[in-house]
Amino acid sequence: GVTTVKKKCRAPVPGLSPAVTVRSTSHGPSCSVSGREWVRPSGFDTGLKTFNSLSKQKEPLILTREGVATWYSCGPTVYDHAHLGHASSYVRFDILQRILSRLFGITVIHAMVITDIDDKIIRRSWEENVSPAAVSTVYEDEFKRDMLSLKVVPPAVYLRVTENVHHIVAFIEKIIRNGHAYATKEGDVYFDIQSIGGRYGRFVGATPEFTDRKLYGSAGSSNKRDPRDFALWKPWKPREPYWESPWGRGRPGWHIECSTIASSMFGGQLDVHSGGIDLAFPHHENEIAQSEAYHQCGQWANYFLHSGHLHLKGSPEKMSKSLKNYISIKDFLRSYSANEFRMFCLLSKYRSAIDYSDSSVLEARSTLDTISTFCHDAQAYMKGQLQCSHVQEDLLWSRLAETKSTVMSTLADDFDTPRAISALMNLVYHGNCQLQPVSTVTPAGAARSPAVFGAMVTYVRDVLDVFGIDLHTKVLSSRGSLQPVVEQLTQFRSKVREFALARRDGSSTGSPSRAGLHPDRLPLLKACDALREDLAPLGVLIKDRGATSTWEIKMSVKEE
């Protein structure tokens, strides 16, 4: 077949390559296939590859509509505080969506369900003697605030289960009509696994927590036709909320909500479905069975992306509420920043399990500090405040071009953020190697290379901005008024220091060597040093660079 290449007219981020979209015409519609084998969809090849849990290998990311990705994700069950295990999954997928939209020019239409009715919510409401709606409202609002505090871009729409029960009832009715579900005399409705033959079991064993209990479920109703059959509708029990249905009063089963809501949003074809690896089986497995039974197609979602678990370092078990081994997002943000958590996530592949410890977050902090210091020093050089030896400008331009190419290719290869960050840090290293201060004052008119450092700083900031890390936050909030104060203070200190360093022979090399200085001015020099040391614990870092000084405000966690 013939393929056509369509280049987009602009790069979404300055200095980064534009996306290339290739029309793939090798296969028919996904809903015409059958069986458990993944079939490459027809549509538009983005040029990216991603690990697809359906095929268990990297596949070209092909979208149904050019430049648009439909994306559904399982949201929270809102009965308790969100913790870092949840945060790692949501932040990692937020980073992937940012890469798609801001680097590759793809519009991501993201829908997320809020599970606001569930056994855990009902139990919590009994414990607190309030309605299930009161419990879910409190924790839904808290979840959304937590996501904003972590700089997670909200989905195009949040959809609550309780507002879609009528759609769920209709969805179940059609599955029954299609011959893939049955009602019992007790008022249960079960999905009929045997009706889909050998198609069930794509994700069996996807997670180490897989057990026979997960495969066959709890004992449930003795009227199940097969132990693997799972509930689409549960009959009402005293003290529980209920909705009317053709099978009597009751409420939806867990899995049916996602199939219904994703289908109501995107129809019978979904590009990407994401979630934590713990949801692969049975939840995502059952979603596939329901959706393909409803739409009568062979491949409802073309790509399933799963994020790895977050573990407390030294613990083999994932962080979870049920195990009581979690750290809440609020507690984390009392000690660290959203930028630091994002960098922590970026330093590992999104599919990998990730070990959480103070040392691993401090590694992320150190990485950000290295980048921030480079950007500050480069700006000082551009302003003429930092005197350096000869800069190998051509080398830096070459390194910048290599970094751009490497970042794009690594992110197009299953969103490999660790390699992208490594390339960025390598660029920073080469920049720092050229920013070697000298104590002598550079003669006026001497060759300088500010433009290449401007390009490097702009590029580094742009890439971090794609990832959701904003180095500009340092000048926001109260710092907007603090910066000019520090600038004036540093200028005054520099003049005093210059006066103190003047030598008796009239020369001024900027060297703090005591030989040849005016003895009566030494107390001024000591006072300048003391001021520098006193300001450091307050977050104001002054660096003396020969005859001049530069300054930087280090961001505290609460002010980010």
Side-chain angles (χ1 to χ4, degrees):
V2 178
T3 59
T4 58
V5 179
K6 299 181 180 179
K7 290 190 177 181
K8 299 190 181 299
C9 296
R10 61 180 178 83
V13 175
L16 300 176
S17 302
V20 176
T21 305
V22 180
R23 182 74 165 102
S24 172
T25 58
S26 57
H27 296 281
S30 296
C31 280
S32 68
V33 302
S34 62
R36 281 169 57 176
E37 292 296 318
W38 180 77
V39 174
R40 177 171 170 156
S42 62
F44 295 86
D45 192 332
T46 61
L48 288 86
K49 288 188 176 182
T50 187
F51 187 90
N52 189 357
S53 295
L54 290 169
S55 65
K56 299 178 175 60
Q57 63 184 23
K58 289 181 187 178
E59 303 288 358
L61 180 60
I62 299 170
L63 304 176
T64 305
R65 185 182 297 273
E66 184 177 9
V68 176
T70 55
W71 187 308
Y72 178 82
S73 64
C74 301
T77 301
V78 282
Y79 74 98
D80 205 343
H81 306 288
H83 57 65
L84 287 190
H86 304 128
S88 67
S89 183
Y90 292 122
V91 168
R92 284 164 140 184
F93 285 123
D94 177 71
I95 290 168
L96 266 57
Q97 291 175 354
R98 286 170 177 268
I99 291 169
L100 282 176
S101 62
R102 303 185 187 197
L103 275 189
F104 294 98
I106 295 166
T107 300
V108 177
I109 309 172
H110 179 204
M112 179 184 288
V113 71
I114 299 287
T115 302
D116 59 343
I117 187 63
D118 164 270
D119 291 344
K120 294 173 182 176
I121 294 173
I122 293 169
R123 284 197 296 270
R124 188 67 177 258
S125 72
W126 292 344
E127 292 168 4
E128 299 184 2
N129 196 28
V130 296
S131 68
V135 171
S136 63
T137 298
V138 167
Y139 290 111
E140 178 185 337
D141 290 346
E142 183 181 288
F143 168 79
K144 290 176 179 176
R145 287 195 300 271
D146 284 342
M147 291 301 101
L148 289 175
S149 69
L150 292 171
K151 304 179 183 178
V152 173
V153 177
V157 62
Y158 285 110
L159 295 158
R160 299 185 187 93
V161 173
T162 57
E163 296 173 356
N164 285 273
V165 175
H166 59 298
H167 292 307
I168 293 172
V169 169
F171 201 90
I172 295 171
E173 287 183 299
K174 185 173 178 181
I175 294 176
I176 294 173
R177 289 198 304 272
N178 289 345
H180 297 294
Y182 57 93
T184 70
K185 61 183 179 182
E186 294 92 350
D188 298 277
V189 180
Y190 288 105
F191 188 88
D192 186 354
I193 293 291
Q194 292 182 11
S195 72
I196 61 172
R199 294 176 53 76
Y200 193 76
R202 289 175 177 88
F203 296 144
V204 170
T207 172
E209 287 80 4
F210 164 72
T211 62
D212 285 343
R213 181 187 62 78
K214 272 198 169 185
L215 178 58
Y216 295 112
S218 56
S221 169
S222 59
N223 291 324
K224 280 186 180 183
R225 296 176 183 173
D226 186 299
R228 298 172 300 170
D229 293 351
F230 55 89
L232 304 182
W233 187 263
K234 299 178 179 181
W236 174 74
K237 295 177 183 177
R239 299 177 64 200
E240 291 187 355
Y242 64 83
W243 287 261
E244 299 292 346
S245 81
W247 319 286
R249 292 176 173 178
R251 58 187 173 90
W254 172 31
H255 314 295
I256 193 66
E257 64 190 47
C258 288
S259 294
T260 302
I261 291 173
S263 296
S264 69
M265 182 72 186
F266 299 119
Q269 190 71 73
L270 178 66
D271 290 321
V272 180
H273 193 311
S274 66
I277 187 60
D278 54 314
L279 295 176
F281 192 91
H283 184 52
H284 291 163
E285 185 75 51
N286 293 348
E287 277 190 67
I288 292 171
Q290 296 164 158
S291 300
E292 293 178 357
Y294 176 89
H295 295 291
Q296 295 187 293
C297 68
Q299 191 162 289
W300 164 61
N302 287 328
Y303 300 87
F304 267 86
L305 276 53
H306 289 115
S307 60
H309 285 152
L310 182 87
H311 301 258
L312 286 174
K313 192 168 185 179
S315 170
E317 297 169 319
K318 69 168 184 174
M319 186 178 288
S320 72
K321 296 173 186 174
S322 58
L323 295 173
K324 306 295 184 185
N325 65 344
Y326 67 88
I327 299 168
S328 74
I329 295 171
K330 277 185 176 179
D331 286 344
F332 173 85
L333 291 174
R334 290 190 181 101
S335 302
Y336 302 105
S337 71
N339 278 348
E340 287 162 350
F341 188 73
R342 281 188 170 263
M343 182 57 73
F344 167 73
C345 292
L346 287 162
L347 292 174
S348 65
K349 292 185 178 180
Y350 76 94
R351 292 190 290 115
S352 304
I354 185 170
D355 283 333
Y356 173 84
S357 65
D358 284 336
S359 62
S360 58
V361 184
L362 290 174
E363 178 189 354
R365 175 180 287 179
S366 175
T367 301
L368 284 171
D369 283 346
T370 300
I371 295 171
S372 180
T373 298
F374 163 71
C375 291
H376 187 270
D377 289 350
Q379 286 183 315
Y381 174 80
M382 287 186 275
K383 293 175 181 177
Q385 297 171 345
L386 178 59
Q387 309 298 327
C388 293
S389 54
H390 175 69
V391 170
Q392 295 176 280
E393 184 173 348
D394 289 344
L395 173 66
L396 292 182
W397 283 117
S398 175
R399 294 294 186 188
L400 177 59
E402 289 173 12
T403 303
K404 289 181 179 182
S405 175
T406 300
V407 167
M408 290 296 287
S409 62
T410 56
L411 294 179
D413 182 13
D414 197 27
F415 309 99
D416 195 339
T417 58
R419 286 173 60 201
I421 293 296
S422 177
L424 215 59
M425 295 307 291
N426 191 48
L427 178 66
V428 167
Y429 167 77
H430 286 289
N432 282 331
C433 286
Q434 299 296 316
L435 287 174
Q436 297 301 318
V438 292
S439 58
T440 56
V441 178
T442 304
R448 299 180 72 254
S449 306
V452 69
F453 285 104
M456 291 168 72
V457 168
T458 300
Y459 177 73
V460 168
R461 283 177 168 173
D462 284 343
V463 174
L464 291 181
D465 185 62
V466 167
F467 295 149
I469 294 174
D470 184 9
L471 294 182
H472 295 285
T473 51
K474 292 191 175 185
V475 300
L476 300 177
S477 184
S478 61
R479 300 184 179 278
S481 57
L482 183 59
Q483 277 206 328
V485 175
V486 175
E487 174 69 27
Q488 291 298 320
L489 176 65
T490 306
Q491 286 183 11
F492 176 76
R493 178 182 173 277
S494 293
K495 290 177 181 177
V496 172
R497 191 167 173 274
E498 183 182 6
F499 176 74
L501 287 172
R503 301 187 180 279
R504 283 178 288 184
D505 61 5
S507 66
S508 178
T509 64
S511 171
S513 171
R514 303 298 170 102
L517 298 181
H518 294 277
D520 58 338
R521 300 182 187 179
L522 291 179
L524 292 176
L525 194 59
K526 289 180 180 179
C528 288
D529 291 344
L531 178 61
R532 182 190 63 217
E533 300 302 321
D534 291 344
L535 289 176
L538 303 177
V540 178
L541 303 185
I542 297 177
K543 294 181 181 179
D544 293 322
R545 304 183 182 278
T548 61
S549 301
T550 61
W551 59 269
E552 179 181 3
I553 301 176
K554 285 290 183 181
M555 196 183 327
S556 68
V557 171
K558 289 184 178 179
E559 286 181 308
E560 183 175 341

